[in-house]
Amino acid sequence: MSDESIKDITIIGAGPSGLFTAFEAGMHEASVRIIDSLPESGGQLSALYPEKYIFDVPGFTRITAKDLARNLFGQANQFSPELRLNETVVSIVDKISSEGPAQTLFEVSTDKGVYLSKAIIIAAGLGAFKPRSLGLPEVGRFEGNSVHYFIREKEYFKGKDVIIVGGGDSALDWVINLIDTARGVTLVHRKDTFRAHPNTIQQIGELAKRGRIKILTPFEVKEVYGDEAIKGIRIIDGTGKEADLRADALLLMLGFTSDLGPIEKWGLDIDDSRIKVNLNMETNRKGVFAVGDIANYPGKLKLILTGFSDGARAVKSALPYIRPGDKVRHVHSTSLKIFSKTS
Ligand SMILES: Cc1cc2nc3c(=O)[nH]c(=O)nc-3n(C[C@H](O)[C@H](O)[C@H](O)COP(=O)(O)OP(=O)(O)OC[C@H]3O[C@@H](n4cnc5c(N)ncnc54)[C@H](O)[C@@H]3O)c2cc1C
């Protein structure tokens, strides 16, 4: 599927940086297309820690990651950007614009289509990231129905016997988070020690002592079985001792692998697995900018708030590529007429 309409800005990545960049672009009356390979917007906020509280977003004493993602989407959506989810950008190629040599034009190809854009802002975070699995071939057929790598809604696990595999913060946090929702929670880890916050480890130990959860270590998952959905797993320890555990849901919290994937082939200067930009968020390619976690410059902090400021700067830097010859003015949102159109 292809769309011939030329957007002013294509934003690659719908994480917090991409969403706020889309808002900034809308505020400057630029048309926007956002593309993300994940099935929902929010980036790491939605995929990795939706239920966790974030304490360092300006203006909020605390806010859950999923609420922040929802708010950012709402803020960007005031300007109706075109949102293309479940699409991975594979290449960006320079084209010759019919508007003359001063006008940049890019052909953005995804695994589903080809789109045209005057400027590109890459907000691709950690790059394409995917969860680690167990290395058992049978797991694939249960993925999405009873084997999960992300938790979107706790309520989904209501009344279920849940097994969580992993020994890091995510695994232990979800044991604690699901205890009041699931019928039973069992934690399986291949080592006797956990790599999590000491307070969380202590909390988990106390819950196990009180019989609220089961902890099985050092065990590895040997087999996952079921029909349509999983029915249970078989675990094994270093001595060859095996046990069967009943389960309605298996949460694999084994961490993520991330790599820049196709981005490495886009002719951009890469520094420490991130895209090198100057303080105007410009990459080495004219008309291509990078913001958020993926952008690297001296003193860069990988924080949500940094992505917001990167986004504001990138849009300002992109405006001369969208409207060549126009003077770029510094504006405050409080004095913009555009908000009377959207409110
Ligand atoms: C457990 C945890 C807790 C955290 N806590 C905090 C905190 O308290 N405070 C704080 O400030 N920060 C925190 N962070 C960091 C914060 O989440 C990141 O800094 C932030 O998400 C970066 O936003 P981003 O939009 O740049 O990238 P991301 O959120 O990573 O979003 C990038 C998006 O780009 C998409 N993408 C990548 N490549 C492509 C492609 N080729 N085509 C299409 N789409 C693509 C990805 O699918 C993803 O959705 C935490 C991170 C973690 C993991």
Side-chain angles (χ1 to χ4, degrees):
M1 175 185 165
S2 293
D3 182 349
E4 286 305 310
S5 71
I6 301 174
K7 293 288 182 202
D8 290 332
I9 301 179
T10 293
I11 298 172
I12 302 170
S17 311
L19 290 174
F20 191 73
T21 303
F23 164 74
E24 282 283 331
M27 202 169 82
H28 286 88
E29 305 195 41
S31 61
V32 170
R33 176 181 291 120
I34 315 174
I35 306 175
D36 201 297
S37 46
L38 291 176
E40 64 182 304
S41 63
Q44 294 174 49
L45 307 186
S46 306
L48 300 187
Y49 57 107
E51 305 275 352
K52 276 191 182 240
Y53 279 106
I54 305 171
F55 298 88
D56 57 352
V57 176
F60 294 97
T61 311
R62 64 177 198 171
I63 182 166
T64 59
K66 73 175 179 191
D67 284 346
L68 179 61
R70 190 169 43 227
N71 290 357
L72 285 166
F73 177 77
Q75 191 177 20
N77 207 34
Q78 294 177 88
F79 303 111
S80 308
E82 181 183 309
L83 181 62
R84 295 196 167 268
L85 296 173
N86 271 322
E87 280 196 57
T88 300
V89 177
V90 290
S91 68
I92 47 175
V93 173
D94 292 85
K95 300 281 284 179
I96 294 171
S97 169
S98 58
E99 290 178 39
Q103 181 63 70
T104 46
L105 187 65
F106 297 95
E107 189 178 79
V108 180
S109 297
T110 72
D111 50 352
K112 301 210 174 115
V114 179
Y115 310 100
L116 295 173
S117 186
K118 293 179 180 174
I120 310 272
I121 300 181
I122 303 171
L126 308 167
F129 60 92
K130 58 176 192 172
R132 284 203 183 90
S133 192
L134 289 170
L136 300 173
E138 70 269 23
V139 167
R141 76 184 169 99
F142 301 115
E143 280 172 358
N145 93 5
S146 46
V147 171
H148 307 270
Y149 301 95
F150 306 116
I151 296 180
R152 303 229 154 75
E153 294 293 336
K154 282 200 303 192
E155 284 307 296
Y156 180 83
F157 299 96
K158 196 169 181 160
K160 293 186 175 166
D161 281 322
V162 178
I163 296 176
I164 298 180
V165 182
D169 275 306
S170 296
L172 271 60
D173 281 351
W174 279 113
V175 168
I176 294 166
N177 272 321
L178 287 179
I179 207 164
D180 293 325
T181 309
R183 183 166 55 194
V185 181
T186 303
L187 177 66
V188 175
H189 182 42
R190 65 191 168 91
K191 292 187 178 161
D192 273 328
T193 51
F194 297 106
R195 286 168 291 101
H197 193 283
N199 291 346
T200 316
I201 297 174
Q202 191 187 344
Q203 229 179 320
I204 289 280
E206 281 162 12
L207 287 167
K209 262 190 221 147
R210 299 206 323 259
R212 299 281 316 272
I213 58 165
K214 266 193 221 144
I215 300 180
L216 296 170
T217 63
F219 277 100
E220 294 203 32
V221 181
K222 186 183 174 199
E223 193 187 333
V224 176
Y225 51 83
D227 301 324
E228 297 288 297
I230 67 158
K231 288 191 166 159
I233 65 170
R234 177 161 300 158
I235 55 173
I236 183 165
D237 73 2
T239 66
K241 187 173 124 198
E242 296 190 7
D244 279 298
L245 307 175
R246 211 201 87 71
D248 302 309
L250 178 64
L251 304 183
L252 300 178
M253 302 270 161
L254 302 167
F256 286 82
T257 55
S258 70
D259 75 285
L260 287 180
I263 298 170
E264 266 176 328
K265 301 188 186 91
W266 295 352
L268 299 163
D269 279 349
I270 304 287
D271 180 19
D272 192 19
S273 295
R274 289 182 284 160
I275 300 169
K276 211 166 155 181
V277 293
N278 62 19
L279 289 178
N280 291 322
M281 302 299 129
E282 292 168 308
T283 69
N284 57 310
R285 278 183 74 173
K286 255 172 77 108
V288 180
F289 306 84
V291 298
D293 276 11
I294 197 143
N296 203 7
Y297 51 83
K300 167 80 184 208
L301 291 174
K302 276 203 203 176
L303 286 174
I304 294 163
L305 63 86
T306 321
F308 295 164
S309 131
D310 290 353
R313 188 161 280 280
V315 168
K316 209 163 171 204
S317 304
L319 292 177
Y321 293 89
I322 298 163
R323 300 190 277 264
D326 277 15
K327 195 168 164 34
V328 178
R329 291 188 180 80
H330 176 69
V331 287
H332 287 135
S333 65
T334 41
S335 43
L336 285 179
K337 288 202 182 70
I338 192 160
F339 287 107
S340 55
K341 287 187 213 163
T342 59
S343 56

